[in-house]
Amino acid sequence: GINAEYMGEQGARVARMAAAFRGLANKFPTGAVAALLGAGGVAFVVSESIYTVEGGHRAVMFSRLSGVLDDVYAEGLHFRIPWFEYPSIFDIRSKPHRITSPTGTKDLQMVNISLRVLSRPQPKNLPQIYRHLGMDYDERVLPSIVNEVLKSIVARFNASQLITQRENVSRLIRDTLRERAQEFWLVLDDVSITDLTFSTEYTAAVEAKQVAQQNAQRAALIVEKAKQERQQKIVEAEGEAQSAKLVGKAIQQNPGFLRLRKIDAAREIAATISGSANRVFLDANSLLLNVEEHDVSVKATDPERTKTAVAAPAEKKGGWL
């Protein structure tokens, strides 16, 4: 049906193209065709015989006859035997790798540590790397040695020491990793701890401890404040007692002191009431003057002054403010 017709059309098209190429070839002389084919073959052999090593790269040659050669080819243009030799290009520039490993601490706490590693191969040992590790050497080596070193170093410290002694931990990890990487012909330019996270249970315990310490400090401050307030009240009470004692002594020695205090009180009352919009009538008793009343202490200590005070004419006890 339809498939048979389609295949017939395609076959006829191929036949027409073949006939056209044969007609085109018949127009050229036989020698010209041979020369053209020879030039094409030479161009192909030359293109297959040269290769370029880009900047920051090195090449290792594999031969079908002798295997991986020990020579390392630097940057630039190089020649090879087509079909017999195949170059493998290595990037010798530093490449970043981020590796995370769950590790146990000395006090049996789980911690996730993330490392950022800058690694590159040793150029002179590229043939050894190609023989034993291959082109993906970093993926084969780095995860295994990083996990091994992290577990061995972190196990020496407690969880809290990983934070307080982070610089020391990072230095130990870096030095140990560099020694292990040299066994695989790798160079580590930099090793740094980028992330350090603890388990949820440990984080909650640390937060609870911090809250308890803050509450204890707050309670200590409250106790200290209460002690200070108590001492202040004691001092104030002692001051008031001493003041009352001095006032009583002053009244006994000089009865006029009490009247002077009454006058001061009257001035304060008058000043307060005068600021009001209402008119208020105050007598001497309201103003605490009571200058005509006789003090018992005066009578007891000075009879002459008592007689004078009794004989004195009465004063007006009220007034408008």
Side-chain angles (χ1 to χ4, degrees):
I2 298 175
N3 292 333
E5 294 179 359
Y6 178 76
M7 295 300 296
E9 293 178 358
Q10 294 297 325
R13 182 178 297 177
V14 172
R16 288 195 298 269
M17 292 179 63
F21 278 112
R22 285 196 300 269
L24 182 63
N26 293 330
K27 294 181 180 180
F28 292 93
T30 305
V33 173
L36 183 61
L37 293 177
V42 171
F44 176 77
V45 171
V46 172
S47 64
E48 291 294 321
S49 299
I50 61 175
Y51 65 94
T52 303
V53 178
E54 302 292 339
H57 295 72
R58 295 292 185 273
V60 175
M61 189 66 68
F62 172 77
S63 175
R64 291 180 179 269
L65 301 177
S66 57
V68 179
L69 304 181
D70 293 331
D71 296 329
V72 177
Y73 298 89
E75 304 166 359
L77 185 65
H78 301 278
F79 295 92
R80 70 183 182 94
I81 301 176
W83 193 82
F84 285 99
E85 294 180 344
Y86 295 93
S88 297
I89 310 298
F90 284 84
D91 187 354
I92 62 172
R93 295 171 295 185
S94 296
K95 292 184 293 183
H97 303 273
R98 181 182 175 88
I99 302 174
T100 302
S101 174
T103 309
T105 61
K106 186 177 180 181
D107 53 353
L108 304 181
Q109 298 294 334
M110 293 303 298
V111 56
N112 291 324
I113 299 182
S114 297
L115 290 183
R116 181 179 182 272
V117 180
L118 288 177
S119 65
R120 57 184 175 86
Q122 296 177 359
K124 64 180 181 179
N125 292 315
L126 286 177
Q128 298 293 334
I129 294 176
Y130 190 45
R131 287 192 187 100
H132 297 88
L133 301 176
M135 298 294 292
D136 56 345
Y137 57 90
D138 48 358
E139 297 179 0
R140 292 173 178 264
V141 174
L142 288 179
S144 60
I145 65 174
V146 167
N147 285 319
E148 175 189 355
V149 171
L150 281 178
K151 294 182 185 299
S152 63
I153 297 299
V154 173
R156 306 177 189 177
F157 298 88
N158 294 329
S160 59
Q161 292 176 338
L162 293 178
I163 300 176
T164 58
Q165 303 181 22
R166 181 166 180 168
E167 182 178 357
N168 185 28
V169 175
S170 179
R171 179 179 55 80
L172 289 175
I173 293 174
R174 180 172 58 253
D175 295 341
T176 308
L177 269 179
R178 284 177 174 173
E179 293 178 1
R180 292 284 288 124
Q182 288 180 358
E183 300 176 5
F184 300 94
W185 309 286
L186 298 180
V187 178
L188 302 184
D189 294 326
D190 182 66
V191 178
S192 58
I193 299 176
T194 58
D195 193 14
L196 185 65
T197 58
F198 296 94
S199 62
T200 306
E201 294 78 7
Y202 181 79
T203 303
V206 172
E207 292 178 355
K209 182 179 179 181
Q210 294 294 330
V211 171
Q213 290 179 351
Q214 293 176 0
N215 292 335
Q217 293 177 355
R218 187 179 296 108
L221 291 176
I222 293 175
V223 172
E224 185 64 23
K225 182 179 179 181
K227 290 181 179 180
Q228 295 294 334
E229 291 178 351
R230 183 184 64 180
Q231 187 65 26
Q232 180 181 359
K233 291 180 180 179
I234 292 173
V235 173
E236 290 178 355
E238 292 178 352
E240 291 178 357
Q242 184 67 20
S243 176
K245 183 178 179 181
L246 293 176
V247 170
K249 186 176 180 180
I251 292 174
Q252 291 179 359
Q253 294 178 356
N254 185 9
F257 177 77
L258 181 59
R259 296 192 177 186
L260 180 60
R261 296 295 295 271
K262 290 181 178 180
I263 293 173
D264 293 338
R267 289 178 178 176
E268 294 180 1
I269 295 173
T272 302
I273 299 301
S274 64
S276 175
N278 300 324
R279 301 181 64 183
V280 182
F281 178 78
L282 298 176
D283 55 7
N285 291 329
S286 300
L287 291 174
L288 299 180
L289 290 175
N290 301 329
V291 294
E292 293 183 353
E293 294 183 359
H294 305 292
D295 194 345
V296 177
S297 61
V298 175
K299 295 179 181 179
T301 57
D302 194 352
E304 294 296 331
R305 292 179 59 186
T306 302
K307 294 179 180 180
T308 305
V310 172
E315 297 179 1
K316 188 176 182 180
K317 295 184 179 180
W320 291 92
L321 295 179

